[in-house]
């Protein structure tokens, strides 16, 4: 049975919670990804930000991406999956929460993304 670790993309990079959305957008561009985990100074996962968040929740509402921080975009309940979770649990979480990406955690640390 496949686990979250088996199907994740390892080595996910974080954007710092105090980094701006402009910095996040450049990192996403450089990494060719549409979402990035937000990590705090404690090196723990604090949220996730998507390219859509930047456009719809900041730019379209008149926000300045060079001033708004990733922390300000992190809201709601963070959904994640343990690295040892069965692939059926991963699918359940994605479907239940209507999300396309999910951080994979092991020992309270981010180890990948699905």
């Amino acid at each position: 049975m496949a686990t979250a670790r088996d199907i994740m993309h390892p080595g996910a990079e974080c954007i710092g919670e105090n980094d701006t959305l402009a910095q996040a957008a450049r990192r996403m561009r450089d990494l060719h990804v549409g979402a990035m985990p937000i990590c705090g100074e404690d090196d723990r996962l604090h949220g996730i930000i998507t390219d859509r968040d930047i456009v719809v929740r900041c730019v379209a509402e008149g926000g300045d991406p060079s001033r708004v921080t990733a922390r300000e975009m992190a809201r709601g309940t963070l959904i994640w999956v343990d690295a040892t979770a069965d692939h059926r649990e991963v699918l359940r979480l994605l479907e239940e929460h209507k999300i396309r990406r999910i951080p994979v955690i092991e020992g309270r640390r981010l180890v990948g993304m699905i």
Side-chain angles (χ1 to χ4, degrees):
M1 197 68 56
T3 65
R5 177 182 298 291
D6 297 330
I7 59 176
M8 73 180 187
H9 292 279
E13 293 188 30
C14 287
I15 190 77
E17 64 183 348
N18 295 317
D19 290 340
T20 67
L21 299 186
Q23 291 170 303
R26 284 191 294 274
R27 293 271 308 281
M28 286 184 208
R29 177 202 60 206
D30 295 346
L31 295 169
H32 305 286
V33 298
M36 288 196 77
I38 301 169
C39 293
E41 292 180 15
D42 57 0
D43 198 31
R44 302 286 169 106
L45 185 64
H46 287 227
I48 190 166
I49 187 167
T50 67
D51 48 6
R52 182 171 169 77
D53 290 332
I54 295 170
V55 172
V56 174
R57 293 181 44 217
C58 179
V59 176
E61 292 182 9
D64 181 353
S66 66
R67 300 181 79 92
V68 176
T69 65
R71 177 187 308 142
E72 294 173 75
M73 287 289 109
R75 66 178 183 190
T77 303
L78 179 61
I79 308 301
W80 55 272
V81 67
D82 189 89
T84 61
D86 179 281
H87 73 278
R88 290 175 298 208
E89 174 66 6
V90 173
L91 288 173
R92 185 190 69 75
L93 288 168
L94 293 172
E95 289 174 355
E96 179 180 318
H97 297 283
K98 296 178 175 55
I99 55 177
R100 296 184 301 161
R101 304 166 181 105
I102 190 166
V104 180
I105 304 293
E106 181 177 59
R108 298 186 177 188
R109 300 279 183 220
L110 177 70
V111 294
M113 289 285 289
I114 295 174

